[in-house]
Amino acid sequence: MATAATLALGPAGPATADTQRPAPARQSATAHGLASVTDLFAQRLLLADKVAAAKYGTDTPIDDPAREAQILSDVRSRAAGLGLDPDAVAAVLQDQIEANKLVQRGLHARWDAHPGERPTERPDLAEEVRPALDRITTGLLAALAGTERTRAVPSCGPRVAVAAGWSVYTHRLDALHLEGLGRALPSVCAGSR
């Protein structure tokens, strides 16, 4: 899906978590609200830059199974409270986690290869980054609830592709973040599980 967005939009400029991005002028009518989901995916991917910077050069590993299990347990219970399928919502969040780790690994490799691009500041995971990720997760749960019917129809796949293309353009995702977005999308549509 993300490849189609790349072909349609051409190369995007570099993405960083600190860059101001213009608000979308309007959402594509064909996306039917799914841009609310893909925009949150893009925001989460851009925060992966700060997670990577916080972990780079430390003993903190990219993989954190205990934190991941805590997040998935939390979203399962919150999904049930919203009347959503807890396993389906956990699958979406698992894809977000894997997409973020893909971006973190890519950034660490880039920084190893190009020391001049290494981050100059180390964001605080507990005080700065995780609260922002938690806010995005809350927004994502609401967006999943708001798009539940759209995500269950057979045309969900093409609609997600359109919404993803819009989010790639709006957030100016670079190739690494575009790859992450592609990894984040598989579980969005109900028929894909």
Side-chain angles (χ1 to χ4, degrees):
M1 287 183 221
T3 304
T6 303
L7 294 174
L9 298 172
T16 62
D18 297 295
T19 304
Q20 292 290 342
R21 289 175 177 55
R26 65 177 178 81
Q27 184 180 49
S28 169
T30 59
H32 295 281
L34 289 172
S36 64
V37 174
T38 60
D39 278 348
L40 289 164
F41 289 179
Q43 290 173 33
R44 198 170 197 288
L45 286 168
L46 292 170
L47 270 177
D49 294 24
K50 287 190 174 191
V51 176
K55 293 179 178 180
Y56 188 73
T58 71
D59 325 4
T60 307
I62 289 174
D63 291 286
D64 187 349
R67 171 84 174 144
E68 293 169 23
Q70 177 187 14
I71 292 168
L72 295 175
S73 174
D74 177 59
V75 298
R76 275 189 175 93
S77 70
R78 291 170 65 189
L82 293 169
L84 297 170
D85 177 350
D87 291 333
V89 172
V92 171
L93 262 293
Q94 181 66 54
D95 282 347
Q96 304 319 296
I97 291 168
E98 294 305 319
N100 269 329
K101 291 190 296 188
L102 184 152
V103 170
Q104 290 177 55
R105 286 186 186 99
L107 289 171
H108 283 200
R110 182 185 300 166
W111 297 334
D112 285 344
H114 305 282
E117 295 180 19
R118 290 178 179 162
T120 57
E121 295 180 17
R122 188 176 313 282
D124 187 305
L125 274 178
E127 297 297 320
E128 179 183 352
V129 182
R130 287 184 177 153
L133 288 170
D134 292 343
R135 284 189 296 276
I136 290 172
T137 299
T138 297
L140 183 55
L141 287 167
L144 291 171
T147 59
E148 186 174 24
R149 295 180 85 187
T150 302
R151 292 181 302 103
V153 299
S155 62
C156 177
R159 290 176 178 187
V160 167
V162 169
W166 183 253
S167 296
V168 167
Y169 175 76
T170 302
H171 295 278
R172 300 180 191 160
L173 300 185
D174 63 11
L176 177 60
H177 292 82
L178 179 60
E179 184 181 355
L181 184 61
R183 176 59 187 93
L185 296 174
S187 59
V188 173
C189 297
S192 64
R193 292 185 284 281

